[in-house]
Amino acid sequence: MRTMFEIAGRAPIFRHVPPPDLERLLQRSSVRQLDRGACVYLQGEEAHSLFVVLEGWVKTYRMTPCGNEAVVGIFTKSDSFGEEAALGNQNFVAGAEAVSQGIVLQIDAQVLTQALSGDMVLCQSVLAGAMESNRCLVEHVEQLKSHTGGQRIADFLISLCGDKSGNCTVILPYDKVLIAAWLGMKPESLSRAFRRLKAYGVTIQKDHAIIESVERLAHYADEDPAESWSAKNDCKAERCIGSN
Amino acid sequence: MRTMFEIAGRAPIFRHVPPPDLERLLQRSSVRQLDRGACVYLQGEEAHSLFVVLEGWVKTYRMTPCGNEAVVGIFTKSDSFGEEAALGNQNFVAGAEAVSQGIVLQIDAQVLTQALSGDMVLCQSVLAGAMESNRCLVEHVEQLKSHTGGQRIADFLISLCGDKSGNCTVILPYDKVLIAAWLGMKPESLSRAFRRLKAYGVTIQKDHAIIESVERLAHYADEDPAESWSAKNDCKAERCIGSN
């Protein structure tokens, strides 16, 4: 129980809430076990709850009118999702689905809204969380607009390395179709881009990425995409399509 | 003066604040005249203020390490910007620059933060605004991931039409380099895409776009990008590079 509150307490929206207040707040929340592929909520559904991931991975995604899927967010331990809709008393702007076995904490929006209306600290804390998720989205928009597919993968691998330098082996946390969708690429473009990263010291073995030098990879991620594109013609039509 | 408060009062973050409270809150704000190209704030700068556009257009943008620019947001009358940083007591995550002559209302972050800490309604209202800007970013991410360049332009033109149907002439509100950057395209890809839109009944004449049928354009925007791409090969390398 305590562990559950600790994990939830690290979520941006709860980070500034004093632990006893948070425990009281979350007492009426419920725990949901999710199988891989389980639907947490549908796009357009009325939002009665928000969620914190306790274990595993969850994606949020939008269906385009023609049935394609754009992965908008990927969430893991201590990440919250669904709060924009739940607290705004709106419908969910994207659907949410477990991409691995997992456990989420489901928090009743009404309970939280009620708590918010009487608790300044909680309100400001939730606001700080909203600003943080906003900043993450801005970073993602920038990456989508200014980086080639290969560079986005490099960024993605580096983000998995943490602060490490030198060599590093990371476990790819979810399947490649999902990574492609998250990075705004077609799965086949992702495979090509992975192969190209060999030249920058990256070897992919099943769900492991072995990186010879994080610095070298970071240098590639920061290169001028115009140069890398004209030199290597390596991103033709990447980013044109989300995954199917 | 009243007009100024009215314009600011339509900004999402102030929309739910009772007008007398808002007037009191904004009494200490200042009005800034901006020439086209004027810097409002720099990326990385400490955030002491947030802003509402009273007239004209402002863009927020991120510089990539190699000096490219990704336009993250475009703001006009009654839009607020900079609040994520100003209210989080953080540095600005993106820079802001006037893209036309304009006027902005500059609101001291400390004044607002102080007001927030004693005013539940204001805090919840600002939170609602943050959630709304979050939803806009999610829509933009989806568009970047799942639509071709041509489709993104179609979406953009449709958004300028408002709710209209049938034929419609819209004025392109800022220059084409900026539109390209906002849509994550190279300027030359934008020009090509504009030419291709002729087949869908769109004629560009200087800064006017003449649309024969909004419905027909909307149908194109919603087509499967995979089909439109393979059929017309129309998005090669678009989206690979932000503007320069």
Side-chain angles (χ1 to χ4, degrees):
Chain A
M1 201 65 170
R2 179 153 301 283
T3 320
M4 182 183 94
F5 291 141
E6 275 170 15
I7 297 172
R10 286 198 295 272
I13 64 163
F14 295 133
R15 197 170 292 162
H16 305 278
V17 183
D21 296 350
L22 187 64
E23 280 200 30
R24 212 172 24 252
L25 176 71
L26 297 183
Q27 221 119 46
R28 287 171 59 193
S29 60
S30 56
V31 171
R32 257 173 78 181
Q33 304 271 352
L34 300 171
D35 284 330
R36 187 187 157 136
C39 169
V40 183
Y41 52 77
L42 291 171
Q43 177 180 333
E45 195 181 306
E46 215 178 309
H48 299 297
S49 308
L50 63 157
F51 301 83
V52 176
V53 182
L54 300 177
E55 258 183 63
W57 294 85
V58 170
K59 70 174 174 184
T60 55
Y61 63 99
R62 297 253 305 187
M63 296 308 291
T64 64
C66 53
N68 281 328
E69 182 184 302
V71 175
V72 176
I74 291 185
F75 304 94
T76 189
K77 207 174 195 166
S78 290
D79 290 335
S80 61
F81 61 97
E83 62 264 38
E84 318 83 53
L87 294 176
N89 221 351
Q90 308 252 355
N91 296 353
F92 286 114
V93 70
E97 186 182 301
V99 292
S100 72
Q101 272 214 327
I103 306 172
V104 292
L105 191 64
Q106 177 161 359
I107 301 153
D108 189 280
Q110 254 195 326
V111 171
L112 184 57
T113 309
Q114 214 158 26
L116 274 172
S117 71
D119 186 337
M120 213 51 228
V121 173
L122 183 61
C123 189
Q124 287 181 299
S125 157
V126 171
L127 182 58
M131 299 299 178
E132 191 166 314
S133 99
N134 212 299
R135 278 192 290 274
C136 288
L137 280 166
V138 166
E139 304 256 353
H140 194 48
V141 165
E142 183 224 326
Q143 197 206 35
L144 286 169
K145 284 184 182 172
S146 61
H147 281 192
T148 64
Q151 289 178 310
R152 275 172 282 155
I153 294 172
D155 276 331
F156 174 74
L157 292 177
I158 291 164
S159 77
L160 297 176
C161 293
D163 292 329
K164 280 191 193 155
S165 58
N167 63 55
C168 177
T169 296
V170 297
I171 299 173
L172 300 175
Y174 26 79
D175 70 41
K176 288 176 190 165
V177 174
L178 181 63
I179 297 175
W182 167 239
L183 298 174
M185 299 165 73
K186 289 187 292 181
E188 54 271 33
S189 306
L190 183 80
S191 302
R192 277 199 303 271
F194 270 142
R195 281 198 297 275
R196 277 197 306 273
L197 282 182
K198 264 201 176 161
Y200 298 92
V202 177
T203 315
I204 305 291
Q205 278 178 0
K206 285 190 181 159
D207 61 347
H208 284 66
I210 303 152
I211 301 160
E212 277 173 26
S213 158
V214 176
E215 292 86 346
R216 189 173 163 208
L217 193 61
H219 180 76
Y220 165 65
D222 288 346
E223 252 177 30
D224 187 338
E227 279 169 29
S228 62
W229 186 77
S230 58
K232 290 183 269 332
N233 194 24
D234 73 346
C235 64
K236 232 191 283 173
E238 276 172 17
R239 313 180 85 166
C240 288
I241 304 169
S243 78
N244 294 312
Chain B
M1 200 64 171
R2 181 153 300 281
T3 319
M4 182 183 95
F5 291 142
E6 276 169 15
I7 298 173
R10 286 199 294 272
I13 64 164
F14 295 134
R15 196 169 291 163
H16 305 279
V17 183
D21 296 350
L22 186 64
E23 281 200 29
R24 216 176 18 256
L25 176 71
L26 297 182
Q27 221 120 45
R28 288 170 59 192
S29 61
S30 55
V31 170
R32 258 172 78 180
Q33 303 271 354
L34 299 171
D35 284 330
R36 188 188 153 132
C39 171
V40 184
Y41 53 75
L42 293 170
Q43 176 179 334
E45 198 181 305
E46 215 178 307
H48 299 297
S49 307
L50 63 157
F51 302 83
V52 176
V53 182
L54 300 178
E55 259 183 61
W57 294 85
V58 171
K59 69 174 175 185
T60 55
Y61 63 100
R62 297 253 307 186
M63 297 306 293
T64 63
C66 51
N68 281 330
E69 184 185 299
V71 175
V72 176
I74 291 185
F75 305 93
T76 189
K77 207 172 194 165
S78 291
D79 290 335
S80 62
F81 61 97
E83 62 263 38
E84 315 84 52
L87 294 175
N89 220 351
Q90 306 251 354
N91 296 351
F92 285 115
V93 71
E97 189 183 298
V99 292
S100 72
Q101 273 211 327
I103 307 173
V104 292
L105 190 65
Q106 177 161 0
I107 300 151
D108 190 280
Q110 253 193 329
V111 170
L112 185 58
T113 309
Q114 216 158 23
L116 274 172
S117 72
D119 186 336
M120 212 51 226
V121 173
L122 183 62
C123 189
Q124 287 181 298
S125 159
V126 171
L127 182 58
M131 298 302 180
E132 190 166 316
S133 99
N134 209 297
R135 278 192 290 273
C136 288
L137 280 166
V138 166
E139 304 256 350
H140 193 48
V141 165
E142 183 223 325
Q143 196 206 36
L144 286 168
K145 285 185 183 173
S146 60
H147 282 191
T148 65
Q151 290 178 310
R152 275 171 284 155
I153 294 172
D155 276 331
F156 174 74
L157 292 176
I158 291 164
S159 76
L160 295 176
C161 294
D163 291 330
K164 282 195 190 149
S165 59
N167 64 56
C168 177
T169 297
V170 298
I171 300 172
L172 300 175
Y174 26 78
D175 70 39
K176 289 178 190 164
V177 174
L178 181 64
I179 298 175
W182 167 239
L183 298 176
M185 299 166 74
K186 288 189 292 181
E188 55 271 31
S189 306
L190 183 78
S191 302
R192 275 198 304 271
F194 269 142
R195 281 198 297 274
R196 274 195 310 271
L197 282 182
K198 265 200 176 161
Y200 299 92
V202 177
T203 316
I204 305 292
Q205 277 177 0
K206 285 191 182 157
D207 60 348
H208 284 66
I210 302 150
I211 300 159
E212 277 173 26
S213 158
V214 176
E215 292 86 348
R216 188 173 164 207
L217 194 60
H219 179 77
Y220 165 65
D222 288 346
E223 252 178 27
D224 188 338
E227 278 168 28
S228 62
W229 185 78
S230 58
K232 291 181 270 325
N233 195 24
D234 74 347
C235 64
K236 227 191 282 172
E238 277 171 14
R239 313 179 85 166
C240 288
I241 303 169
S243 79
N244 294 309

